[in-house]
Amino acid sequence: MRTRYNARITALGGYVPEHILTNHELEEMVDTNSEWIVSRTGIKERRIVNDAQVATSDLAVKAVARLLDDAKLGPDAIECVIVATSTPDYIMVSTASVVCEKAGLVNAWGVDSNAACSGFLYALTLGASLIESGRYKNVIVIGADKNSAIINYEDRNTCILFGDGAGAVLLEQTTEEEGLIDNVFKTDGCGKEHLIVQAGGSLNPSSIETINNKLNFISQNGRVVFKAAIEGMTQTCKEVFKRNDISSEDIDWLIPHQANLRIIQSVGDNLNIPIEKVKINIDRYGNTTAATIPLCLWDFKNDFKAGDKLLLTAFGAGFSWGASYLIWGKLRGDA
Ligand code: COA
């Protein structure tokens, strides 16, 4: 009989730029105030790249370097890399190609996946499928975004929310009942007008007009996204419970996409998961799009122990949303 493999996370790496953009600095840039930002979003500060030469791939490469160090592996050991990003270095030439080159992943092939804030969850399942097929022994899955490249720092609706960062996980084969167990994902383009970068793609190529009209930046209808995010994340988490015959009491840790503290709290409440079990770092990093979940896993990895049940959930542009259920296994670095 063919061996059945699961994909488990065995090493992690994360990186945020050193430069801190505080709420007080934003007060100087747009009509806002720190008290409003903290009470409405939970964000106290975010990290942004302040060097024009630094791209999304550079954030990803730094996260990969930390992951390889954590894994005690050389870059030549990696077979595949998937980069979830909606801020690729280029429209053509995948960010994964650049990451393979800069990180020295000489034996890996790579591909990008774009599902905005849900990107990492989707990429995690794609990577896990390669391992579950038995054809790959390891895959690095990265969530990385340089949101500062597509933010209009004159738009208070969006500039207070987003930050830059990258997180990476190493997936490896296991025959144990652990690792990524299940997911429920949804994608529906009817939400696209509410959270979008209008220009720079094939429909609206960049032009002087798109630049002048600020169509190359993120635009968002916050209230619509807010409501849809709570509903979408709650509903897919509940579907995961049902499919796997588990309940909120079985969950040790909820790792939600970090878009707004009030969204996170509402999802936790709707699922009856107490706040002590919810991992939150939005106060320090803001919304780093595809990077929020891997950055959270990396930030809090010392709190997770083998056998813990983790529920990951995200919502993003598209709309795209979903939830993944995984059982934490031993990391390479564990004694
Ligand atoms: N500073 C001060 N006031 C602001 C502001 C800011 N940065 N942004 C908006 N306001 C004002 C509005 O103009 C509005 O004023 P009015 O009542 O006089 O019209 C008031 O604050 C309330 O605006 P509203 O849009 O209802 O605020 P909100 O509580 O919904 O918070 C967001 C706005 C953007 C923080 C919130 O809607 C949100 O987080 N949405 C989801 C964002 C998200 O998750 N995006 C990523 C994809 S997952």
Side-chain angles (χ1 to χ4, degrees):
M1 209 177 69
R2 225 176 126 182
T3 311
R4 195 173 165 270
Y5 294 110
N6 281 329
R8 72 164 189 210
I9 294 173
T10 58
L12 301 97
Y15 176 77
V16 288
E18 276 172 28
H19 182 74
I20 297 174
L21 177 61
T22 64
N23 288 348
H24 294 296
E25 283 172 273
L26 285 164
E27 287 175 358
E28 307 293 314
M29 297 157 72
V30 289
D31 180 16
T32 191
N33 62 81
S34 182
E35 197 273 326
W36 189 96
I37 300 173
V38 174
S39 66
R40 305 308 291 163
T41 72
I43 302 168
K44 294 183 183 146
E45 59 187 40
R46 68 289 294 138
R47 303 297 187 96
I48 62 164
V49 168
N50 64 348
D51 175 348
Q53 298 308 309
V54 172
T56 296
S57 64
D58 297 297
L59 309 180
V61 165
K62 289 229 163 71
V64 167
R66 287 180 175 167
L67 176 152
L68 291 173
D69 192 43
D70 188 37
K72 306 265 177 302
L73 282 176
D76 56 345
I78 303 304
E79 295 178 323
C80 176
V81 57
I82 305 178
V83 181
T85 185
S86 41
T87 52
D89 291 19
Y90 309 103
I91 288 258
M92 186 190 281
V93 173
S94 72
T95 304
S97 297
V98 185
V99 169
C100 284
E101 182 209 3
K102 287 183 181 168
L105 308 179
V106 290
N107 292 316
W109 63 275
V111 64
D112 289 4
S113 113
N114 177 356
C117 297
S118 307
F120 177 79
L121 277 199
Y122 288 12
L124 190 67
T125 287
L126 296 174
S129 304
L130 294 174
I131 297 216
E132 287 158 9
S133 75
R135 289 171 70 184
Y136 291 86
K137 290 195 170 53
N138 68 47
V139 176
I140 290 180
V141 180
I142 303 170
D145 272 299
K146 182 187 162 187
N147 286 313
S148 58
I150 54 167
I151 288 293
N152 174 5
Y153 284 96
E154 293 175 352
D155 176 11
R156 70 175 184 171
N157 292 308
T158 51
C159 74
I160 58 155
L161 298 172
F162 292 93
D164 301 337
V169 301
L170 178 67
L171 292 175
E172 290 190 89
Q173 281 182 343
T174 175
T175 50
E176 305 289 319
E177 195 54 24
E178 61 185 20
L180 187 63
I181 304 297
D182 194 21
N183 54 257
V184 173
F185 293 155
K186 314 265 178 181
T187 310
D188 187 346
C190 72
K192 65 182 179 301
E193 74 203 58
H194 301 299
L195 178 53
I196 191 166
V197 177
Q198 293 277 5
S202 61
L203 183 63
N204 279 319
S206 297
S207 64
I208 290 169
E209 200 186 340
T210 67
I211 304 283
N212 287 343
N213 290 327
K214 307 209 181 305
L215 298 180
N216 294 71
F217 293 125
I218 295 182
S219 65
Q220 171 173 243
N221 181 339
R223 275 183 215 184
V224 173
V225 176
F226 187 92
K227 199 161 162 272
I230 294 170
E231 276 172 20
M233 291 199 273
T234 301
Q235 177 220 352
T236 47
C237 286
K238 285 186 174 170
E239 273 187 58
V240 164
F241 287 168
K242 210 164 156 195
R243 279 162 56 108
N244 294 277
D245 201 18
I246 53 172
S247 72
S248 52
E249 278 107 78
D250 296 306
I251 298 301
D252 295 291
W253 305 106
L254 175 66
I255 320 289
H257 170 53
Q258 312 278 310
N260 183 312
L261 183 59
R262 290 183 296 134
I263 295 177
I264 295 170
Q265 287 165 335
S266 296
V267 172
D269 286 350
N270 290 347
L271 297 173
N272 285 323
I273 296 181
I275 200 74
E276 307 80 64
K277 291 186 172 186
V278 184
K279 291 304 187 192
I280 299 168
N281 58 12
I282 189 172
D283 49 324
R284 288 175 284 140
Y285 304 147
N287 182 349
T288 54
T289 306
T292 62
I293 289 180
L295 268 177
C296 230
L297 292 171
W298 173 69
D299 244 4
F300 295 109
K301 68 174 182 166
N302 291 336
D303 293 349
F304 310 145
K305 54 183 194 312
D308 279 359
K309 296 187 169 75
L310 274 63
L311 183 63
L312 283 42
T313 183
F315 184 93
F319 293 143
S320 58
W321 69 104
S324 295
Y325 168 46
L326 66 89
I327 300 177
W328 200 250
K330 255 180 131 180
L331 299 177
R332 275 177 164 261
D334 289 347

